[in-house]
Amino acid sequence: MSKLSINRILDNVKSSQLAKDSLWAVLGNGLGYAILLVVGIIIARFLGKDVYGEYGMVKSTMLYIAGFATMGIGVTSTKYISEYLQKNSSEIRNIARDAMSITLCFSCMIAIVLTLIAKPLALYLNEPSLINPFKILGCLIICKAISTTQNGILAGFCKFKAIAMNNIACSVSMLLLAIPFTYTWGLYGALSALLFTQAMNCILNYFSIRYIIKAYPINNYVSHKKELFLFSLPIAIQESSYTICSWGGTLLLVKLSSVGELGIFSAVSQWNAVILIVPGLLSNVVLSHLASTKNDRYQHTKTIKVMLIVYFICSFIPFIIVYFLSSWITTFYGPTFANMKYVLQVFIFCTIFHSCSNVFNSEFIVTHHNWLLMSIRTTKDCGILILAYIILKNSDGIDGAMSYATAYLIGTIYYFIALIVFYNYKVKNKTIIR
């Protein structure tokens, strides 16, 4: 390739807003996630497999339920703000206000319910030590749900630099707090550090949105709550399906296997999340750009093809690295995680299919195929839970983390294939222009 061709490619990349947004999403947020990975390893060594399993259950439950608590408004706000910036910017303030109102309302209701059932739930799991952590979980869910919707709003404005800087600041705070807190107070110290950083993220996002939104006119208040809610409903059902089935998988591991196996699976899940850092960070970028280009069929299709290639590369390369370093990685967690290697190798294979699926997810949402996407997603989530139950029962709970990882891999492959089939027969060349 000639020097002139290379320079032309570099110029095109520099002038591409998609490339700039992607760069900030990857570099800024990627650094934050890398810091959190280090924090997770340190916490695991301090707590040991069993107590780390309890920490992992609270943290994973926060992520599962917070996604549902937003009622899908995070994704919806990205789409609506991107579109209204093009057609009617005077409604931007109203959309942002209504999105936050819906999120706050539902997250508070869920937090109250969880607080009320904390004791019976912990006793059902035969883990009475989880009663107070489950109560703390209510506050975590509210903070995480709010920050999720705030990130969706910022993504709608294409302010990925602000999202990145806020996440880095919170990750550094988690690093500085989690180590002394966990060493001194154990599980409660780790949860306190997590709660502080989640609250900090909400505050930083609030000021970022407040600064950005000043540029848009104050219009008479027109409620968009109903419109946002109806569009988000199938997305919310997807999130509830994911929440129920993922949390159900956590319960299966505890009841049919052990808290220790949950600890292994929680540790493995961190590496799964590490591989998916780049694809995950690009999700809002893809959704924002697909929404803003849906009136330009050529640019819209080009964005899909480019992002599919990017997503595959960004998941395949780290997958290979982690796979071949799995033995070395396992040693960082201490002797109680000795059986983690093979679980890690199986579970991270899911990331390739999960990553590429994200592009189709965004396309289904932008083209208003939310209900179709919800049906495919729900089938996948329920299928994983049923398959995990069958495998765990047949194996008497032995190697529970491996059983659940296997079920998850099969479900993820099914989901990716189903999305391709329905995209080609139901969505492709039928983009809704509104």
Side-chain angles (χ1 to χ4, degrees):
M1 185 179 291
S2 66
K3 184 177 180 180
L4 182 62
S5 299
I6 295 174
N7 289 334
R8 186 181 296 115
I9 292 173
L10 291 175
D11 289 339
N12 289 335
V13 170
K14 290 178 181 179
S15 62
S16 170
Q17 188 61 43
L18 176 61
K20 293 177 182 177
D21 291 340
S22 300
L23 184 63
W24 267 112
V26 172
L27 294 182
N29 294 287
L31 177 59
Y33 278 104
I35 294 172
L36 291 179
L37 176 64
V38 174
V39 172
I41 293 174
I42 295 172
I43 291 175
R45 290 191 68 88
F46 281 156
L47 298 180
K49 183 175 71 173
D50 290 339
V51 180
Y52 185 72
E54 296 179 2
Y55 172 79
M57 185 172 190
V58 174
K59 185 177 179 181
S60 61
T61 302
M62 174 195 73
L63 297 175
Y64 296 151
I65 298 182
F68 168 67
T70 64
M71 292 300 293
I73 293 296
V75 173
T76 300
S77 58
T78 298
K79 175 186 180 298
Y80 270 77
I81 288 178
S82 295
E83 292 180 355
Y84 271 82
L85 284 173
Q86 307 295 324
K87 63 182 183 181
N88 187 7
S89 62
S90 64
E91 291 299 313
I92 292 296
R93 285 175 177 260
N94 293 333
I95 292 172
R97 181 189 304 171
D98 289 342
M100 290 306 306
S101 297
I102 295 172
T103 298
L104 185 60
C105 178
F106 278 94
S107 62
C108 285
M109 287 193 297
I110 291 173
I112 292 171
V113 171
L114 187 60
T115 301
L116 294 175
I117 67 170
K119 184 175 180 178
L121 179 60
L123 294 177
Y124 171 75
L125 295 173
N126 298 319
E127 296 290 340
S129 59
L130 285 174
I131 294 175
N132 289 327
F134 277 152
K135 292 179 180 179
I136 297 173
L137 178 60
C139 297
L140 283 168
I141 287 171
I142 294 174
C143 292
K144 183 61 179 177
I146 290 173
S147 66
T148 299
T149 297
Q150 288 173 328
N151 285 337
I153 293 171
L154 289 170
F157 287 112
C158 289
K159 299 299 182 181
F160 298 98
K161 180 179 179 179
I163 297 173
M165 299 305 293
N166 293 346
N167 285 343
I168 291 174
C170 293
S171 298
V172 172
S173 298
M174 183 67 179
L175 178 63
L176 296 176
L177 293 175
I179 296 175
F181 278 31
T182 306
Y183 180 79
T184 306
W185 296 293
L187 175 61
Y188 289 101
L191 292 176
S192 298
L194 183 61
L195 177 58
F196 177 85
T197 53
Q198 290 298 323
M200 177 181 173
N201 200 10
C202 293
I203 294 170
L204 292 177
N205 284 343
Y206 168 78
F207 283 109
S208 297
I209 294 172
R210 185 179 177 182
Y211 175 78
I212 294 166
I213 217 164
K214 286 180 181 178
Y216 298 92
I218 300 176
N219 200 16
N220 292 329
Y221 177 67
V222 177
S223 177
H224 293 269
K225 289 188 178 74
K226 183 178 179 180
E227 181 183 0
L228 292 174
F229 179 78
L230 291 177
F231 185 86
S232 297
L233 185 58
I235 300 174
I237 295 174
Q238 290 180 54
E239 295 297 342
S240 64
S241 167
Y242 175 73
T243 298
I244 293 170
C245 293
S246 297
W247 204 33
T250 299
L251 298 179
L252 283 179
L253 278 175
V254 174
K255 292 293 289 184
L256 300 181
S257 188
S258 68
V259 176
E261 287 297 307
L262 176 60
I264 291 176
F265 188 77
S266 296
V268 166
S269 298
Q270 280 193 320
W271 287 97
N272 184 285
V274 168
I275 295 174
L276 290 174
I277 284 176
V278 174
L281 296 174
L282 293 177
S283 293
N284 280 340
V285 177
V286 174
L287 181 61
S288 178
H289 281 266
L290 286 178
S292 62
T293 62
K294 71 176 187 178
N295 292 321
D296 185 342
R297 189 177 298 277
Y298 170 77
Q299 189 62 38
H300 191 84
T301 303
K302 180 181 177 182
T303 301
I304 293 174
K305 292 179 179 178
V306 169
M307 294 314 298
L308 277 172
I309 296 172
V310 170
Y311 270 50
F312 175 77
I313 294 173
C314 290
S315 58
F316 183 74
I317 293 176
F319 160 75
I320 291 296
I321 295 172
V322 174
Y323 184 89
F324 285 105
L325 293 179
S326 56
S327 297
W328 181 65
I329 290 170
T330 302
T331 61
F332 281 95
Y333 288 84
T336 57
F337 289 81
N339 297 326
M340 176 178 152
K341 173 186 173 182
Y342 298 109
V343 181
L344 178 61
Q345 291 177 339
V346 170
F347 195 55
I348 61 173
F349 191 47
C350 302
T351 58
I352 298 174
F353 303 99
H354 184 93
S355 174
C356 295
S357 296
N358 284 340
V359 180
F360 293 110
N361 289 344
S362 297
E363 176 65 0
F364 275 57
I365 291 171
V366 168
T367 56
H368 294 252
H369 287 85
N370 299 19
W371 289 101
L372 175 59
L373 180 62
M374 181 271 297
S375 301
I376 303 171
R377 175 74 174 273
T378 303
T379 304
K380 167 212 166 188
D381 293 335
C382 294
I384 291 174
L385 191 61
I386 294 170
L387 185 58
Y389 176 81
I390 294 172
I391 298 175
L392 284 167
K393 269 292 191 181
N394 290 336
S395 63
D396 294 324
I398 299 173
D399 294 328
M402 175 62 83
S403 298
Y404 192 74
T406 302
Y408 200 94
L409 174 60
I410 294 171
T412 305
I413 293 174
Y414 151 77
Y415 182 63
F416 178 64
I417 295 173
L419 285 177
I420 293 176
V421 172
F422 281 102
Y423 171 74
N424 283 293
Y425 286 96
K426 291 285 187 180
V427 180
K428 190 177 181 180
N429 298 323
K430 296 180 182 179
T431 303
I432 296 177
I433 309 295
R434 295 188 177 183

